[in-house]
Amino acid sequence: MPRLRSTIDVNSEDFRRNYAHNKNLLAEFREKQEAARHIRPQRDFDRLERQGKMLPRERLHKLLDPGTPFLEFSSLAANMAYDGDAPGASCITGIGIVSGREVIIHAGDSTVKGGAWYPLTIKKIVRCLDVAIENHLPVIHLCDSAGGFLPLQSEFFPDKHSAGRIFRNQAMLSKMGIKQLSLVFGHCTAGGAYVPALSDYNVIVRGTGAVFLGGPPLVKAATGEEVTVDELGGADVHTSVSGVCDYPANTEEEAIAIGREIVSQWNPSAKWAAQCDTPEEPYYDPDDLYGIIPDDIKKGFDMREVIARIFDGSHFHEYQPAYGTTLICGYANIWGYKIGILANNGVLFNDSALKGAHFIELCNQNSTPIVFLQNITGYMIGKEYEARGIAKNGAKMIMAQVGSHVPKFTIMCHGSFGAGNYGMCGRAYDARLLFSWPNHQIAVMGGEQAANTLAEVKIRQMERNGETVDPQLIEQLKQDTLEGYLEQTSAYYSTSELWDDGLISPTDTRNTLGVAISASLNAPLGDPGYGVYRF
């Protein structure tokens, strides 16, 4: 494949300004991520030390194969929720390597309210199990949770995708023959008791591990019976009497060692044979990405410059380069894996939507995974484009990517607005994994457009009612709308709500996609299936 030719001037004023802006965003992201991962009140560390427990990330470090990557999901989940009381949504999830096997890891974070489950904790756990199902990845649960955060029970208990979905997903994994292991370091209370109970294997630590549907306080309140934690659901009860657990361990280190030994007995997954060549580092420096991405969401840039700094050798075979030019389509490699790329270079017109739909079909024909690089303002609107059928052309693109049988991955590189988010495989469209850069913004439309639209609607409403249009009222409406959008369109808000699988730095995109694509090959390919295309 030919190598892309970069036209970026790294000494230009625009490049230096963008570079400084994006490096500041990265520093802010790193600071927030460090706090979410490691900063806790000292009393929480002291409590775990008294209990003889390791920190959650210490357990993770000992479980993973030395020197292997861990692709963490949603490290800043809940960063703008619950007054900051649930960093990381009180759990750790991601893809790692244990005993040579790619696995999903779900670990309760007992430094946060004893590992209590908030509504967003549930959402994060359900999502990681969805990833396991979609990619046929075994799951290791590191259990240490005080159970549901009861003041918010109505938000995490009754609905389809609430706490019950965790156990439904576990049952689905078992039905599919995908293995699960639980290492019980602390309490598994109420619904949490089903995590080890629904696992194929489990190990429980004597003295600190416990599994019960109702803890001692609830038992006393409900039945009047007084019982200790160990008597009710400790290691000896469950490994020698009830059979709920399989292996007792005297220490956390021993539990992890037993767990690694169990995983080593599992048959490695047979991956489907994706086309793969020898990996090659990008020809251009990935650090240039910080100077390429604009400091303003409304400014455009050439996505080819981004492609040149992420994919192998900066090589790119562009498909239909002279047609539908606001959507770049073509083939490249990443860590050797052959992939198809759809990348936005502007608003999606009729021709670019048709080009995208056709290219997606070609990727499916060739069993080529697809990477979407989003910087999209939406599909083009207006009388001319509606007359030419922009709605049905956009629908074709959506139909093609929903009907895909190849793995899809999405990187939110800049803006994501309107229905363009849908055509470019936004969150609702089952990307195997979706990650965002810190500069990312997302909304149904831009803040200024929303403010002006609402102002216009208000003006017409007042005129219909015979009211005098108050310019100050209209201006206040615009300001309130803009302020709301400023918060809710930010990358931190979207990742807090788990609209993505986490924020990553632009220079980490290559490795992130490499791990993600490798993991996706564990799930066999189905057959592409399409609905009705409106011609």
Side-chain angles (χ1 to χ4, degrees), residues 315-326:
H315 298 299
F316 183 58
H317 172 86
E318 187 167 352
Y319 173 72
Q320 288 190 327
Y323 178 72
T325 56
T326 59

Side-chain angles (χ1 to χ4, degrees), residues 36 40 56-57 74-79 82 85-93 106-122 124-125 142 144-149:
R40 303 287 187 274
R57 291 185 183 273
S74 303
S75 61
L76 293 180
N79 79 92
Y82 317 126
D85 285 345
S90 73
C91 67
I92 305 164
T93 62
H106 151 227
D109 189 345
S110 51
T111 66
V112 181
K113 303 284 187 182
W117 289 356
Y118 285 75
L120 286 172
T121 312
I122 304 296
K124 184 172 177 178
I125 298 171
L142 308 186
D144 193 355
S145 171
F149 185 64

